[in-house]
Amino acid sequence: MDDKLYALILAAGEGKRMKSKIPKVIHKVCGMPMISHVIDSARESKVEEFAVVIGHGADMVKNQLGDGYNYIYQKEQLGTGHAVMQAVPFLEHKQGYVVVLYGDTPLITSDIISHLIEFTVNKGYNAGVLTAELDNPAGYGRIISDENNYVKAIVEDRDADYKQKLIKQINTGIYCFKIPDLLKCLNKLNNDNAQREYYLTDVIGIMNEAGLKVGACKTRRIHEVEGVNDRVQLASAERFMRYRILEQNMLNGVTIIDPDNTYIGKYCEIGQDAIIYPGNVIEGQTSIGEGCILFPNNRIEDSIIEPFAKLQCSVILESKIGENSTVGPYAYVRPGSNIGTNVRIGDFVEIKNSSIEDYTKVSHLTYVGDADVGKNGNIGCGVVFVNYDGRKKHRTTVGDNAFIGCNVNLVAPVTVGDNSYIAAGSTITEDVSEYSLAIARARQTIKPNWAKNKYKK
Ligand code: UD1
Ligand code: CA
């Protein structure tokens, strides 16, 4: 028997209440689309194959998620039940269980999904519904259950009568169905309700009529099952997830001085004894090594910061900063940069697509673009690596132990050899051999008493 575990994620709705040109499920929470959070949690709970129902903004959703999913197209969004009906060709002939999730519940965890699956399978239910008790259940479907915890029906908020509206047990929108039982009941759905939609929730009543058993799997973790329908709820999900991530990092041994003003992505790794000051935003696939100090206000994205580096007020994108190096304040390290160990990148320095080897100092007001700079060098203040000729970019190479004086232009392509010196103010257009001194500027002349004579007639 095929007892594989499938997940069906509903993501075709427009999300009118978001008032957006972007489909709701790809609005981001902690830097990642809501639907990706849902899929990640399902994957961690051992779901083996995914199908995603797309419709509104289908191409945008597909572009975000990429390959690796069975996409099912729901041409018109006629309700959550209608969305699942579009998945019949995918589910047909399958014997296992399918977890149905909505793409707008980003806070859901793998623990809760696993618990629902075990609950349904182990207790022999034909379906399990994840439910929660809310003080303010407005907007959610209400669970009509009996004393044995069987779910008899789900009534949508808009269709509920006065008495049903008082019920506090709500439908989280997360279900686990035995596939053949779901298929048996799906085709009996109709749209006879306040919204003229095919509600997936009606399947529960239909299953009951067919003598099938539906269990209510209650969770106390009410924040984890909150749906996002508008931007107020989006901000609240962001806040909740941000704290969840921050707390995990703190428990792992990271000092976060002001959690209210620190932003760390879900997939960032931060080593023990790192200290994070307020105003840091750490995103994407970033790792921060042990003992690093992030002084206030850095933005770090998809980068590797090796242990004991110190950063301040800087932007680091798709780059690597080596052990013990310091960056900033106000440095801009752009994609493709590889900074060695014990390097100093000072204030108002921009580095782009360049490598800088160990112990080199680039202390102030310098642009290094498309260059390979050796170790132990000193790049003076105000140096410009002139990498663009108006049409093409060219590379510059600077050897080890080189001393580049202040205000030098290195016009690429050009090579500066090991142990050489470039005099301040030089514009270098030709290669400089090792151990030499290059001076490329007009010689100073002095005209004595010139100023005194200037006004004499
Ligand atoms: C739904 C449930 C409600 C539950 C709540 C939990 C139904 C009828 N109601 O209400 O009982 O308490 O979620 O958050 O299921 N979608 C499609 N195609 C459609 C319509 C919706 O794919 O035709 C998708 C949406 O993209 C969304 C999800 O289904 O991700 C839920 O739709 P939404 O309109 O937000 O349902 P709710 O009104 O929140
Ligand atoms: Ca919703």
Side-chain angles (χ1 to χ4, degrees), residues 304-372:
I304 299 169
I305 314 296
E306 291 188 334
F308 307 106
K310 295 188 178 71
L311 276 59
Q312 182 166 193
C313 293
S314 294
V315 177
I316 319 280
L317 310 173
E318 295 168 44
S319 291
K320 183 175 147 192
I321 309 291
E323 194 163 327
N324 255 328
S325 291
T326 64
V327 178
Y330 310 109
Y332 184 18
V333 181
R334 292 166 53 194
S337 297
N338 188 350
I339 311 295
T341 66
N342 300 286
V343 168
R344 160 108 198 95
I345 305 293
D347 50 276
F348 303 102
V349 169
E350 177 174 339
I351 312 271
K352 184 216 108 184
N353 192 26
S354 295
S355 65
I356 299 199
E357 290 182 32
D358 305 351
Y359 292 98
T360 288
K361 293 192 177 73
V362 190
S363 296
H364 356 248
L365 301 163
T366 285
Y367 173 62
V368 182
D370 301 303
D372 299 294

Side-chain angles (χ1 to χ4, degrees), residues 58-66 71:
D59 287 338
M60 278 195 256
V61 179
K62 242 171 139 172
N63 277 342
Q64 272 291 334
L65 295 181
Y71 288 107

